[in-house]
Amino acid sequence: MDRNRRRQLLALPYVAWSILFTLIPLFVILRYAMVDKEGHFTVSYIFAFLSSVNAKAFLISLEIAVICTVICVLLAYPLVMVVRRLKISRMSFMLFFLIMPMWMNFILRMLALQMILSSNGILNMLLGFLGFPPLQIANTNTAVIIGVVYDYLPFMMLPIFNTISDIGEDVLEAARDLGAGPFTVFRRVILPMSLPGLKSGITIVFVPSMTSFVIADILGGGKIQLIGNIIEQEFTRSSNWNLGSGLSVSLMLFMLISMTFTIKDEILTKRPAEEISEEEKAEPRVVGDGVSRRTVL
Amino acid sequence: MAEENIIELRNVTKRFEDDGSIAVKDMNLAVRRGEFVTFLGPSGCGKTTTLRMIAGFDTPTSGSILLNGRDITALPPNKRPINTVFQRYALFPHLNIYDNIAFGLKLKKLPEDEIREKVTRVLEMVDMAGFEKRNTQTLSGGQQQRVAIARAIVNEPEVLLLDEPLGALDLKLRMGMQRELMRIKKEVNITFIYVTHDQGEALTMSDRIIVMNKGIIQQEGDPVSIYDEPQNAFVADFIGESNIIDGIMLKDCLVRIQGIDVECVDTGFEPNEKVDVVIRPEDLVVTELGAGFTDGLVTEVTYEGAYYDIRVQAADYEWHLQSNVSAMPGTRVGISILPENIQIMHKPRSSDEEILKKD
C-alpha cells in the first residue's frame, strides 16, 4: 500500500503540468465564455454558434471532418492489410516511409501542398502536359480535405496497424477453416478485432480535423471559413475573446458528446468481462499452460 | 477400396518458396473413413505441413490431395468440409464462447434455433455446458482447447485435423484430454488426423501411426507394430527409448554385437551384413556376472518410480536398462536378453533414412 502510494508520487510532475497548462486555461476560457465585456454573466456567447454565419462554419467543419475521417479509414485499412503481410524488414521500411512526412515541419508541408494544388501549380502542369484540362482545387473544400487527410493519415493508420498486427495468423486461418472467404474474414474477424485501433484512429483524426484552422487558412486561401478559423479570428483580429471563448466551449461540448459514443461503447463491452473475472476468482482455475492471456478490450 | 479412403495423398511434395527447402517429399498416403491417424515425428519432419496441405492452408508444389476420390488440391480451406483444431486454440477473442462455436454454423446460414441446439449439444459433449456467455480470455488453457474442439466438430466435418492440440497443456491435463478426445472421437465418428511429436500420445490414441522424418514416411502401422517392430533405427529411436548398436549378422538367427555372438530370431539378411541392433531398455535384464550375453560396470542408477533406470558400461557401449530390480553403482553385473526381444535392422541405405543421433 505504502509503496503504491509512493509510486503515485511519480505522477506529480504531470499533474502539476496539466493543472498549470490545461486546467487553469480551461477555467479561464470558461469564465470568458460566460461573461460579457462588462463582466456580467451571460450565456449568449455559448449559444453564439446558432447564428447563421457560425452555424454554417460549424456544419462545414463537421462535414469536412467526417469526410476526412472516412477517407482516412478507407485508405488506412487496405494499406494496413498489405503492410501486415510484408516481411519484417520491408514492413519497417514501409512504416518509416509512412511516418516520414511527420518529421517535416507542418507549415512547410502545407505550403508544399499549396504549391502542388494551386491553379498553375505542379498538379495542373502535369495534367496539362498529359493533355487534361486543369483542375480548380486550390481554395476549395477539396484542397482542405486533401490537406487534412495528408496530415492525419498516419494517425489513423498506426493504431489500426497496431491492433491488426496483433491478430494471430492462426485466428485468421481458423476463420477460413470454418468457412469464411477473404471478405468474411475481414468483416467478421479483422474489422471487429481492430475496433479499438479504429476508435482511437477516429478520435485522433476527427477531433483535430474538426478544430483545425491552419490548413483551411493555407489551402483554403482564406475563403473557407471553418469554425476554427472563426474562433481564431475572434481572438486575433476582432479581439472579442468572449465570443471566441464561447464558441470554443460549445465546440468542446460538441466534441465531448460525439466522443462519448465511442467511450460509452467501451464501457458496455467492459462490464460483462469484469463480472466474469469476479466469478472466475471463486473457481480454482487450471493454469500453467504458459499461454499469455491478453485482454483485448 | 477407393471409396473407403476419405483422404488420399498422391505423390505430394511441398517445397517452400522462400528457402527452397523440401518439407514433404513425394508422399503417398490413404486415410480410411473413421480412422484415427497420427502423424508422428520430430519438429521439422513435415507432419504439420502435411496437415496444412490437407486443411488447404498450404498448397502442394506437386502431387494431388483427394477427398472422397475428388481432387481438392486447388480448393481453398473455406470450401473444404474439413475443420482444424489449432495448437494455440486460435479462438476469436472478440466473440464469446457461444459465438465462437456458432461461427461456422452462422456462415452456413443455418436457422438460429438449430444453431443454438447444436452449440448446446457440442458444449455438453466437451463438458463445457453453461459457458456460452463466457469470454475466451477468462478460460484456462484446457477449457480453451475444449472450446476449440467444439468449434471444429460442431460443423460435422468429414475430417477433423488436430495440430498438436495438447502441446500447450501441462502433463496431467494432457492425459485427461487424451482420454476425452478418444471418447469424443467415438461419439462423433469423424475421421481424425492428428499431429504430434509426443510418441506416448500417438501410441495411446491412434488406430494408425505414420512416423515421419525429413519429409518422408519412415513407417506406418498400428501402435503395437510401430513399437514392437520398428522398421529402421530412426523409428526405433524415436518411438520409446532404445539401445541402438552396430552389429554383424553372421547368419540367420545369430548376430555379433561387440564381438559377442548373440542368438536372435531374425532371418533374411545377407551373411555378414552390417546391421543396426535395436534393444528396448525394458527388455534387458540384470543378471549375475557371466550369466548374460555380456558383463559390464554399473555406472548410474536412477529411481524413476515405476522402475530403475540403469546404465551399464560394457566395452565401448553404455547399455540402457529399465528394471524393477536395482543394482549397485560401481559393481559389475551381467546383462541378458531373450532372443525374440532383439530387433535387427538393415543399415540405412540413403541419407533420407539417416538415424536421428541423440546427443
Side-chain angles (χ1 to χ4, degrees):
Chain A
M1 262 323 240
D2 230 6
R3 222 171 137 184
N4 256 340
R5 196 146 306 152
R6 247 181 289 153
R7 193 172 296 152
Q8 281 169 2
L9 291 179
L10 291 173
L12 263 186
Y14 170 74
V15 172
W17 172 276
S18 62
I19 287 176
L20 207 58
F21 296 114
T22 310
L23 229 51
I24 293 176
L26 198 66
F27 278 109
V28 172
I29 296 267
L30 266 176
R31 148 123 196 126
Y32 267 109
M34 294 201 290
V35 296
D36 60 18
K37 280 180 180 141
E38 280 75 47
H40 301 301
F41 175 78
T42 175
V43 291
S44 62
Y45 293 125
I46 291 178
F47 286 101
F49 72 92
L50 293 171
S51 80
S52 70
V53 179
N54 294 337
K56 199 180 151 215
F58 225 106
L59 287 178
I60 294 174
S61 304
L62 182 62
E63 188 193 327
I64 288 182
V66 168
I67 293 175
C68 289
T69 310
V70 169
I71 293 177
C72 280
V73 172
L74 293 181
L75 287 176
Y77 264 102
L79 188 65
V80 166
M81 293 305 287
V82 172
V83 173
R84 70 173 284 280
R85 292 221 147 256
L86 298 178
K87 284 188 197 139
I88 298 288
S89 57
R90 282 200 188 171
M91 187 190 281
S92 10
F93 176 76
M94 270 303 282
L95 291 176
F96 167 77
F97 183 78
L98 289 162
I99 295 166
M100 209 172 49
M102 287 158 62
W103 296 356
M104 239 186 315
N105 180 283
F106 165 71
I107 303 287
L108 258 174
R109 274 181 288 155
M110 288 305 126
L111 288 174
L113 259 184
Q114 192 187 34
M115 300 273 283
I116 293 170
L117 298 176
S118 66
S119 41
N120 36 21
I122 296 167
L123 180 67
N124 278 338
M125 250 168 64
L126 265 175
L127 284 175
F129 187 74
L130 295 169
F132 291 102
L135 288 175
Q136 188 46 253
I137 296 178
N139 306 342
T140 63
N141 282 359
T142 315
V144 177
I145 290 171
I146 291 175
V148 172
V149 170
Y150 174 72
D151 201 38
Y152 290 113
L153 183 58
F155 296 101
M156 179 64 79
M157 214 209 68
L158 289 178
I160 293 178
F161 176 76
N162 275 338
T163 47
I164 286 189
S165 59
D166 266 2
I167 303 176
E169 197 58 40
D170 56 347
V171 172
L172 302 181
E173 280 178 354
R176 290 205 287 155
D177 189 68
L178 292 165
F183 179 73
T184 315
V185 172
F186 178 79
R187 196 172 60 88
R188 296 263 186 151
V189 181
I190 295 174
L191 188 61
M193 280 183 77
S194 65
L195 271 189
L198 178 63
K199 279 178 190 169
S200 45
I202 288 176
T203 318
I204 302 173
V205 172
F206 180 74
V207 175
S209 56
M210 177 95 191
T211 53
S212 76
F213 58 92
V214 178
I215 296 177
D217 257 356
I218 297 175
L219 296 175
K223 287 180 186 154
I224 311 297
Q225 285 282 317
L226 301 184
I227 190 69
N229 299 90
I230 288 180
I231 294 171
E232 187 229 350
Q233 285 153 19
E234 292 305 331
F235 278 96
T236 55
R237 284 177 227 172
S238 318
S239 293
N240 189 347
W241 286 31
N242 306 81
L243 180 55
S245 301
L247 287 171
S248 290
V249 170
S250 45
L251 181 61
M252 211 160 65
L253 287 177
F254 176 79
M255 289 303 177
L256 273 177
I257 291 165
S258 56
M259 282 310 123
T260 43
F261 285 113
T262 15
I263 295 162
K264 200 180 84 187
D265 214 41
E266 244 153 53
I267 291 169
L268 280 180
T269 47
K270 211 166 240 172
R271 196 176 293 137
E274 272 163 12
E275 275 168 15
I276 282 158
S277 60
E278 288 300 312
E279 209 176 286
E280 183 73 15
K281 274 175 205 154
E283 279 176 37
R285 173 153 111 186
V286 212
V287 196
D289 53 1
V291 179
S292 66
R293 286 186 198 80
R294 287 176 305 167
T295 31
V296 186
L297 272 175
Chain B
M1 274 309 279
E3 70 264 22
E4 223 197 324
N5 291 336
I6 188 158
I7 289 282
E8 252 183 276
L9 271 62
R10 289 191 184 158
N11 308 101
V12 168
T13 295
K14 175 69 185 176
R15 184 193 296 271
F16 283 117
E17 281 155 30
D18 38 354
D19 58 354
S21 63
I22 293 179
V24 177
K25 205 170 181 179
D26 198 26
M27 185 158 167
N28 282 289
L29 177 74
V31 177
R32 287 181 289 277
R33 183 178 298 281
E35 215 179 0
F36 193 133
V37 171
T38 300
F39 295 154
L40 175 65
S43 61
C45 74
K47 57 190 193 300
T48 297
T49 307
T50 310
L51 197 79
R52 290 176 57 83
M53 287 191 288
I54 298 173
F57 301 131
D58 285 337
T59 351
T61 313
S62 64
S64 51
I65 297 171
L66 278 67
L67 174 77
N68 291 323
R70 192 167 65 97
D71 193 328
I72 58 161
T73 316
L75 219 56
N78 50 314
K79 302 248 168 71
R80 299 186 185 195
I82 294 172
N83 287 116
T84 308
V85 177
F86 294 85
Q87 180 172 19
R88 287 289 181 189
Y89 327 131
L91 299 179
F92 304 121
H94 61 295
L95 301 176
N96 65 19
I97 304 307
Y98 179 89
D99 289 326
N100 258 282
I101 296 174
F103 192 90
L105 301 176
K106 282 180 181 170
L107 290 183
K108 281 183 198 152
K109 305 256 189 291
L110 290 188
E112 189 62 42
D113 50 341
E114 197 183 330
I115 293 179
R116 187 165 299 279
E117 188 193 323
K118 285 192 176 195
V119 172
T120 310
R121 204 176 336 128
V122 81
L123 272 174
E124 272 167 23
M125 192 186 290
V126 297
D127 208 15
M128 294 280 286
F131 279 72
E132 285 91 341
K133 294 273 181 291
R134 291 279 288 262
N135 224 313
T136 57
Q137 288 91 12
T138 66
L139 302 186
S140 68
Q143 290 172 325
Q144 288 190 54
Q145 193 53 283
R146 282 163 199 265
V147 174
I149 292 163
R151 183 180 66 174
I153 59 177
V154 78
N155 300 291
E156 293 159 28
E158 298 234 24
V159 181
L160 185 71
L161 307 177
L162 302 104
D163 184 9
E164 308 220 21
L166 310 183
L169 306 179
D170 59 47
L171 182 66
K172 199 155 185 192
L173 208 52
R174 204 153 66 215
M175 308 284 248
M177 283 300 286
Q178 286 175 16
R179 281 193 294 277
E180 207 137 327
L181 269 175
M182 291 196 289
R183 173 181 63 78
I184 291 168
K185 166 86 177 61
K186 270 190 202 124
E187 275 182 52
V188 294
N189 199 29
I190 295 171
T191 310
F192 275 34
I193 302 182
Y194 194 97
V195 159
T196 184
H197 63 266
D198 182 325
Q199 39 115 353
E201 212 165 276
L203 293 170
T204 307
M205 296 194 287
S206 324
D207 296 324
R208 190 152 58 104
I209 297 175
I210 319 282
V211 185
M212 290 181 70
N213 189 34
K214 296 182 174 170
I216 289 172
I217 296 179
Q218 302 292 320
Q219 185 173 353
E220 51 177 296
D222 62 84
V224 175
S225 72
I226 294 271
Y227 189 85
D228 285 348
E229 291 143 34
Q231 276 167 15
N232 61 36
F234 170 81
V235 177
D237 192 46
F238 193 75
I239 312 281
E241 289 175 88
S242 291
N243 296 286
I244 300 177
I245 186 166
D246 293 332
I248 297 164
M249 203 66 184
L250 298 174
K251 56 177 187 181
D252 280 357
C253 301
L254 192 66
V255 64
R256 177 171 287 172
I257 310 166
Q258 292 183 311
I260 305 158
D261 295 350
V262 185
E263 236 183 280
C264 61
V265 295
D266 297 76
T267 55
F269 290 84
E270 302 285 318
N272 295 323
E273 184 182 336
K274 289 189 172 172
V275 292
D276 283 323
V277 180
V278 174
I279 301 173
R280 298 283 184 196
E282 66 265 28
D283 292 334
L284 288 169
V285 182
V286 179
T287 63
E288 282 172 35
L289 213 56
F293 68 89
T294 185
D295 294 331
L297 182 70
V298 179
T299 54
E300 204 183 314
V301 178
T302 322
Y303 181 56
E304 295 282 352
Y307 56 86
Y308 292 92
D309 197 276
I310 303 170
R311 308 278 165 164
V312 177
Q313 187 75 41
D316 61 345
Y317 189 76
E318 191 182 54
W319 291 94
H320 178 197
L321 291 77
Q322 288 168 355
S323 155
N324 297 337
V325 193
S326 187
M328 278 296 287
T331 57
R332 288 184 66 81
V333 293
I335 304 173
S336 76
I337 179 134
L338 295 172
E340 61 263 35
N341 286 333
I342 296 177
Q343 292 282 328
I344 309 289
M345 284 162 208
H346 295 284
K347 285 273 185 192
R349 276 149 301 184
S350 71
S351 63
D352 296 328
E353 288 177 49
E354 242 174 57
I355 303 166
L356 181 87
K357 295 276 185 208
K358 273 190 182 166
D359 36 301

